[in-house]
Amino acid sequence: METKKFTIFGDPVEHSISPKMHGFAIEGLGLDATYTKTHLEGACRLKTLFLESFDAANVTVPHKEAAFGQADEIRGIAKEIGAVNTLINENGHMIGYNTDAEGFYRSLQDFPDIKSALILGAGGTAKAISYILKEKGIEVSVLNRSSSRLEAFKNFKTATWENVEEGYHDIIINTTSAGLEEETLPAPQSIMIRLFEHTKYAIDVIYNKETPFLKMAKSYNLPSKDGADMLLYQGILAFNLFYHDRFSFEEVEPFMRKAF
Ligand code: NDP
């Protein structure tokens, strides 16, 4: 049997830990495969490169929407989200999936009884998370700094910092990049205080870092976590697509977890 070839497309891609995660799974399960990083500036060659050289791939920032647009077929929740993070080469056809959404949903399993959620931010990750939560029957509101990106959330209750309403949400989810590089909160402190006073859980999708958002959640004694589980779970789900469900989620998890 031929060595399977996998990659991750992104720009930048050097920082990605996906090769490590998938590498541990490949090694641990005794598979014959390689998983490389492909730095791609501009997405115009994505499909050609993918179909010429790879059996399957992951896609990261900023190519998820382009991968969606170039795929021959989109399956599952990616159709609603409009972004793809997993590609499968099916007999020369590029098939696109989104495992970020389901990965996030699985990371919620530590927080029971969630019926309502407030998402901070309105970018690609917010879109993936809002669609899966809505599909699972959770009431979703979206709060963003500016109004233009909120146009993509017509089926949700939305607000900007100027018109945020009082209200309770079971969980607050930070999907903004505030806190990634600078020590900033995702909204002004006066708003964050009101939000944290009216919730029971908090998640930040930024991973491997205690952001100001997570520090503030801790100061309110809220159960909270970063985005490492989301990243891990989207990877396991992608791996299972690569191998057409040959392995169970539970079989892959301990190997991939070693990357963290
Ligand atoms: P996008 O660029 O698509 O969206 C960014 C959002 O953040 C926008 O709504 C923007 O608001 C808001 N924002 C940016 N800076 C600030 C700030 N200083 N204060 C308040 N709001 C701000 O990003 P993505 O959705 O692709 O990624 C968002 C985050 O999610 C990143 O930190 C990324 O690392 C993380 N991520 C984690 C994953 C995981 O598996 N754990 C997977 C994917 C992403 P505006 O519209 O006003 O500009």
Side-chain angles (χ1 to χ4, degrees), residues 2 4 6 59 83 94 112 126 140 152 155 159 192 195 216 219 223 227 231 252:
E2 267 185 40
K4 294 247 182 235
F6 308 132
V59 184
M94 186 165 108
V140 179
N155 298 327
M192 293 309 301
L195 299 180
M216 195 164 170
S219 74
L231 184 69
V252 181

Side-chain angles (χ1 to χ4, degrees), residues 144-218:
N144 198 43
R145 175 174 61 179
S146 54
S147 59
S148 60
R149 290 197 216 222
L150 289 174
E151 279 162 28
F153 293 81
K154 291 226 173 351
N155 298 327
F156 298 87
K157 200 172 160 194
T158 60
T160 62
W161 294 353
E162 280 68 44
N163 59 7
V164 57
E165 286 175 14
E166 294 289 334
Y168 171 84
H169 307 92
D170 289 322
I171 188 162
I172 303 178
I173 303 155
N174 178 33
T175 75
T176 76
S177 27
L180 186 63
E181 269 153 22
E182 286 156 17
E183 292 296 298
T184 45
L185 285 164
Q189 191 162 20
S190 56
I191 294 179
M192 293 309 301
I193 289 172
R194 276 154 61 198
L195 299 180
F196 277 125
E197 279 175 352
H198 297 98
T199 191
K200 58 178 179 183
Y201 308 124
I203 291 194
D204 200 324
V205 300
I206 294 171
Y207 49 88
N208 291 349
K209 184 180 174 196
E210 190 173 64
T211 57
F213 173 86
L214 285 180
K215 283 185 191 138
M216 195 164 170
K218 255 191 193 163

